[in-house]
Amino acid sequence: MSDVAPPDAFAHTADAVVDRPPALTPAQRELERIWSTPPGWGRLSAVNHTVLGRRFMVAAFVFFAIGGALAMLIRAQLASPRSAFLGPDLYNQIFTMHGTVMMFLFAIPMFEGVAIYLLPKMLGARDFAFPRLTALGFWCYVFGGGILIAALLAGAAPDGGWFMYTPLSSSTHSPGINADVWLLGVTFVEVSAMAAAVELVVSILRFRAPGMTLARMPLFGWYILVTAGMMLVGFPPLILGSILLEVERAFDLPFFDPTRGGDPLLWQHLFWLFGHPEVYIIFLPAAGIVSTILPVLVGRPLIGYSWVVVSVAATGFLSFGLWVHHMFAVGIPHLAQAFFSAASILVAVPTGVQIFLWLGTMLAGRPRMSVPMLYLFGFFSVFVCGGLTGVMVAVVPFDWQVHDTHFVVAHLHYVLVGGFVFPMLAAAYYYLPHVTGRQPVYAVGVLAFWLIFVGFNLTFFVMHLTGLLGMPRRWAYVPEGLGWEWPNLVSSIGGFVTTAGFALFAVDMLFQFRFGRPSPPDPWSAETLEWATATPPRPYAFAALPEVAGRAPLKDDPGLRERLDRGEGFLAVPRNGWQETLVVDAATAQPLHIAVLPRPSFLPLWSALAIGGFVLSLLFKLYWFSPVAILLVTASFLAWGPSSGHRRSFGALDAGRGLSLKVHAEVERPPTWWGLMLLLVANATLFASLLFGALFLWLTAPLWPALLDVSLPLPKRAALVIAAAAAAILAHLALARARRTGPDAAVPMLAGAALAQVLAAALGVWLLAVHVPDPTRHAYPALVFAFLAYLVLHAAIGAVLAGFGIWRCRAGFVARDRLGDLAIGTLWHDYTAAATLIAVLFLAALEALIPFGALMVQP
């Protein structure tokens, strides 16, 4: 009988397995009461990271099963020439949904679920910074994915490819709602991704155990920190592109229409500005899993901790210079091709550094031949092959030969399945005792591995040959007489073998969950803090928060788990029914204050439903309901306010071990301030993408310069900038007055800021209505429309935030020592003022540059 590891792998703890956990102390029982999720319907109010992490992983696996079933339909269609199994229209929907499900509904949400479940425990915290934001992200993910799957079942799924290239996805060539389902559904899911990115960055930097400096942080934390930062600046271009394309489809604004000054290549640029970094967004968390579990399985600390950190950061940075790697065949200049080809090859260097450090660690240690180790071996062999073919397609002449063939399909799957799925399967077997509290029972895991490994290589290794023989991807039929019949048959057989392996894996997981033996607290003799919790973990994770003195806390202090259970740490004594955890300095990990986290709440669910109502109103063209949905979304988010913050000051409170700290509501820059700062970074990336799009169209789009004159009156432009700047100045004055004399003195300044933002929004609407020509006639007025709409939206949100600040002052949430709400508001007003100034100056410059565009197109 074979388990997750051979019998000797658990021999050192076999005697430690007990049938029942020790009785809880009174403090632990109180923590259990405070942190638990209510039963029954109350489960829908869960905000605990352990619960939400499990839900993310389960939902992602369900979507993975759906995507796998779609893949098998594709392989069944291609198994024989001229197959009548699927018609072309249905085939187009299936291959589009397969890619969409795997990229947007499985890969990214799965790593989010793993990170949400593990990171607070690894970092020595009780939860994330914004539990309700995590819950909102989960519901948006499930609802957005549900829209896509429902469309597939209804026969209205997107059918233009998971990349939705224009003009194929324009209303002219895709007149139904199929493309709208993709644009709106995926954008809905992206709300979840952006929420997770903000949550992860703030939590990793601020919610760690005291003493856990950045140099002592587990490598998985570094991987997720870089990945979340990449999401913040990588996803906004896709969100912008989806918005612009949906606006073009719904209201005929020609951003991508070459007959009216648009350019289909703008979509490709915006998509691949997201798309190629996404490959590394998917790979890096899986690499973090490898760096976490490989040293444990070989019994030797990872070689080159600092080199790994530098390599991860370099990979994240370089990945943003590769997007044209996917556009070598569109006719870009040779100099640009040379640059992006070199960048595509260069990014292999930091990845290679990590691989050699992993191999060096294995050679220096003694690998345990367990099921997780088998999957790591599978990862090395498959991913390295994918990396080699990646270097091949980075060479322009070779890419021209294999572009849009099955060779590229094979390369993509070797990179993504090898670089993500295999490490995640290793993590599933490694962390299952932690999640369920049980050890494996049957020898099914080994058989499942070999079926997956052999079946995968049978499918996609042969597909390289199919591509070299010239078979284009996305063809619904295999023609006869070209030598493509037998490679496709072999690939289809391999696909079904792989599916059998994944089915066996699912059965093995269920059996282990149901019939596995109770697991000891740390069956792998790991050294990181997640194994200092109970298995399965309790909702509060740690009865007391630890202090860390090195990178291997459990090795440095073998009795740490027991001492934390006894309450020998920080925040061991519950009070006031609060869910407490520590906030530390980002660099030094010195404790700064106590974060009081929100209790279970249905508000994230209601907010997600309101957002879903807005998305559905756009999908079904019920535009009369869209303003109502926006009001519902606004009201639902404002309803979060009364349960946030405190109406009184508590001063310094006992945090344990002789430490006294204030709660987060009594500091000027609470975690929410940092969260909004990161959202504004993502917002600025979207704004920069809009600037890039305008310059791209001016430089390269056909039918430029525009014959339409878009001249915004200087007095109104100046008034718009002045109004936005006035709102920012008044917000800062409100903060200063509240600091000096109290919240009542801030109210008039906040009222002035609200009025200034209303005036700015009104000026923007006036300019749109009176001075912008029909935006459907040419891309130039459409761009001006987009910039002004962006400014109007931000001014309107600023007015709402100023009004919210007034309410917070009147309701007692703001005091001279509780200024976080006002400090958060000033961030938004500052950003809106800066964006308004940049947009107005840019539009003036674009107006002046139009004649030069005429010179540039002269022969």
Side-chain angles (χ1 to χ4, degrees):
M1 181 177 66
S2 173
D3 297 324
V4 160
D8 62 329
F10 289 109
H12 62 284
T13 53
D15 296 336
V17 178
V18 293
D19 294 331
R20 290 173 294 180
L24 299 180
T25 66
Q28 289 175 323
R29 284 196 295 270
E30 179 63 9
L31 286 170
E32 189 91 18
R33 183 190 69 81
I34 293 171
W35 287 83
S36 291
T37 299
W41 288 104
R43 296 181 185 276
L44 298 178
S45 67
V47 296
N48 185 269
H49 80 277
T50 298
V51 176
L52 293 174
R54 289 170 176 166
R55 289 181 181 177
F56 262 103
M57 289 186 283
V58 170
F61 189 80
V62 170
F63 283 119
F64 177 74
I66 294 171
L70 296 176
M72 290 305 96
L73 293 176
I74 295 172
R75 290 315 322 168
Q77 171 69 11
L78 299 179
S80 61
R82 302 291 179 183
S83 173
F85 181 66
L86 299 173
D89 292 339
L90 182 57
Y91 183 84
N92 289 341
Q93 293 188 32
I94 287 174
F95 86 73
T96 299
M97 283 298 297
H98 168 69
T100 299
V101 167
M102 291 305 194
M103 298 295 283
F104 295 102
L105 302 183
F106 163 64
I108 291 176
M110 178 59 80
F111 102 71
E112 289 173 0
V114 172
I116 289 167
Y117 177 85
L118 282 179
L119 267 178
K121 304 174 185 67
M122 279 188 172
L123 301 178
R126 284 181 174 149
D127 211 324
F128 276 135
F130 313 116
R132 291 185 297 188
L133 186 63
T134 305
L136 173 68
F138 172 75
W139 292 118
C140 288
Y141 161 52
V142 171
F143 294 160
I147 290 173
L148 289 162
I149 300 304
L152 176 64
L153 296 176
D159 54 4
W162 70 274
F163 34 78
M164 293 300 290
Y165 282 164
T166 55
L168 179 62
S169 57
S170 67
S171 57
T172 302
H173 301 285
S174 298
I177 68 167
N178 305 64
D180 300 305
V181 169
W182 192 97
L183 294 168
L184 295 170
V186 168
T187 302
F188 195 3
V189 173
E190 297 307 303
V191 174
S192 170
M194 299 308 297
V198 171
E199 178 78 278
L200 291 168
V201 173
V202 174
S203 299
I204 292 171
L205 291 179
R206 293 285 174 174
F207 284 61
R208 305 197 303 271
M212 184 181 284
T213 63
L214 292 176
R216 296 172 180 169
M217 189 166 68
L219 279 171
F220 188 68
W222 276 109
Y223 278 94
I224 298 299
L225 178 62
V226 172
T227 302
M230 293 171 64
M231 292 167 67
L232 284 173
V233 295
F235 280 49
L238 176 63
I239 294 173
L240 174 67
S242 299
I243 292 172
L244 295 182
L245 183 53
E246 180 60 27
V247 168
E248 177 175 301
R249 290 178 54 84
F251 304 109
D252 201 30
L253 273 65
F255 298 105
F256 307 102
D257 183 356
T259 66
R260 291 178 288 166
D263 194 336
L265 286 184
L266 175 60
W267 170 263
Q268 289 199 36
H269 281 289
L270 293 175
F271 182 85
W272 290 116
L273 275 168
F274 146 82
H276 202 89
E278 190 200 21
V279 173
Y280 296 95
I281 288 171
I282 292 172
F283 164 68
L284 286 178
I289 288 291
V290 175
S291 293
T292 299
I293 70 178
L294 178 66
V296 178
L297 296 177
V298 303
R300 201 247 186 242
L302 187 68
I303 296 172
Y305 176 99
S306 300
W307 281 102
V308 171
V309 173
V310 172
S311 298
V312 172
T315 301
F317 176 77
L318 291 173
S319 68
F320 284 96
L322 308 181
W323 79 92
V324 181
H325 170 94
H326 298 268
M327 300 171 62
F328 286 153
V330 303
I332 61 175
H334 291 300
L335 180 61
Q337 289 180 344
F339 171 82
F340 286 103
S341 177
S344 300
I345 296 172
L346 181 62
V347 76
V349 174
T351 305
V353 169
Q354 296 172 68
I355 290 174
F356 281 113
L357 291 173
W358 292 329
L359 294 176
T361 303
M362 279 200 300
L363 291 174
R366 185 180 179 184
R368 305 186 217 175
M369 290 309 298
S370 57
V371 174
M373 198 72 223
L374 283 176
Y375 279 106
L376 291 186
F377 285 140
F379 154 75
F380 283 118
S381 59
V382 173
F383 181 72
V384 169
C385 290
L388 293 175
T389 56
V391 174
M392 294 167 67
V393 297
V395 179
V396 176
F398 184 83
D399 182 79
W400 284 350
Q401 298 301 313
V402 301
H403 185 77
D404 265 348
T405 70
H406 274 214
F407 187 96
V408 178
V409 177
H411 158 68
L412 177 68
H413 284 80
Y414 263 81
V415 170
L416 294 183
V417 175
F420 182 78
V421 176
F422 276 93
M424 286 301 172
L425 293 173
Y429 281 101
Y430 180 83
Y431 278 112
L432 193 73
H434 192 284
V435 176
T436 67
R438 294 180 179 274
Q439 296 179 26
V441 178
Y442 302 112
V444 178
V446 175
L447 178 58
F449 164 77
W450 285 112
L451 285 174
I452 294 171
F453 182 77
V454 173
F456 172 83
N457 283 284
L458 195 63
T459 302
F460 294 104
F461 187 83
V462 176
M463 198 176 290
H464 289 98
L465 176 60
T466 314
L468 291 174
L469 289 174
M471 181 172 176
R473 55 180 172 175
R474 300 188 288 275
W475 274 26
Y477 299 112
V478 179
E480 295 178 287
L482 297 177
W484 301 348
E485 299 94 338
W486 74 263
N488 274 287
L489 177 60
V490 172
S491 290
S492 295
I493 294 172
F496 283 97
V497 171
T498 307
T499 302
F502 280 114
L504 208 56
F505 164 79
V507 170
D508 195 25
M509 291 290 105
L510 292 175
F511 276 16
Q512 292 181 24
F513 180 80
R514 179 65 181 85
F515 302 110
R517 295 170 296 165
S519 172
D522 182 7
W524 301 101
S525 296
E527 300 173 348
T528 44
L529 283 175
E530 73 270 24
W531 295 103
T533 67
T535 50
R538 302 196 179 278
Y540 51 83
F542 299 97
L545 298 183
E547 185 171 10
V548 172
R551 294 176 187 162
L554 297 187
K555 179 181 179 181
D556 297 337
D557 186 358
L560 179 62
R561 182 185 303 105
E562 292 74 18
R563 290 197 298 101
L564 295 179
D565 285 341
R566 292 195 300 267
E568 299 177 16
F570 297 98
L571 301 180
V573 181
R575 59 181 157 224
N576 302 330
W578 288 350
Q579 295 187 168
E580 296 179 311
T581 192
L582 287 177
V583 180
V584 301
D585 180 79
T588 65
Q590 293 297 314
L592 297 179
H593 48 270
I594 300 169
V596 181
L597 303 178
R599 301 288 294 276
S601 171
F602 288 98
L603 289 172
L605 175 59
W606 298 131
S607 296
L609 286 171
I611 298 172
F614 176 68
V615 169
L616 291 175
S617 73
L618 298 178
L619 180 61
F620 293 108
K621 317 300 181 186
L622 302 175
Y623 298 122
W624 61 269
F625 182 72
S626 298
V628 177
I630 290 174
L631 290 176
L632 291 175
V633 172
T634 304
S636 70
F637 280 115
L638 291 176
W640 294 31
S643 57
S644 302
H646 301 289
R647 286 186 167 91
R648 53 163 288 198
S649 299
F650 295 90
L653 299 176
D654 180 28
R657 307 190 68 173
L659 185 67
S660 295
L661 299 171
K662 293 183 177 181
V663 297
H664 74 275
E666 296 175 34
V667 299
E668 192 163 318
R669 292 186 176 180
T672 313
W673 188 92
W674 294 101
L676 181 59
M677 175 68 79
L678 292 172
L679 276 178
L680 292 178
V681 169
N683 195 351
T685 305
L686 186 145
F687 184 58
S689 300
L690 184 58
L691 295 171
F692 164 80
L695 288 173
F696 177 80
L697 293 182
W698 171 71
L699 284 170
T700 67
L703 301 183
W704 281 68
L707 300 178
L708 296 175
D709 181 24
V710 184
S711 181
L712 304 180
L714 180 59
K716 293 180 182 178
R717 284 187 286 180
L720 179 60
V721 173
I722 291 170
I729 292 170
L730 289 169
H732 280 277
L733 290 175
L735 179 61
R737 288 195 175 187
R739 185 183 292 111
R740 288 197 306 268
T741 59
D744 291 339
V747 171
M749 298 294 102
L750 290 174
L755 290 175
Q757 293 286 28
V758 170
L759 177 59
L763 285 167
V765 173
W766 190 6
L767 289 169
L768 279 172
V770 177
H771 299 286
V772 178
D774 181 3
T776 65
R777 294 174 59 189
H778 193 273
Y780 178 31
L783 284 169
V784 177
F785 183 95
F787 276 101
L788 291 176
Y790 180 88
L791 299 182
V792 169
L793 175 63
H794 283 70
I797 295 174
V800 172
L801 288 177
F804 182 72
I806 294 173
W807 175 80
R808 296 289 281 186
C809 289
R810 293 298 192 192
F813 288 99
V814 177
R816 279 185 288 184
D817 60 347
R818 285 180 276 120
L819 299 172
D821 291 321
L822 300 187
I824 291 167
T826 59
L827 273 181
W828 185 270
H829 297 299
D830 288 344
Y831 176 84
T832 302
T836 302
L837 177 61
I838 293 171
V840 168
L841 292 176
F842 178 80
L843 291 177
L846 189 61
E847 181 182 343
L849 287 171
I850 290 296
F852 294 96
L855 296 176
M856 293 180 65
V857 298
Q858 293 297 321

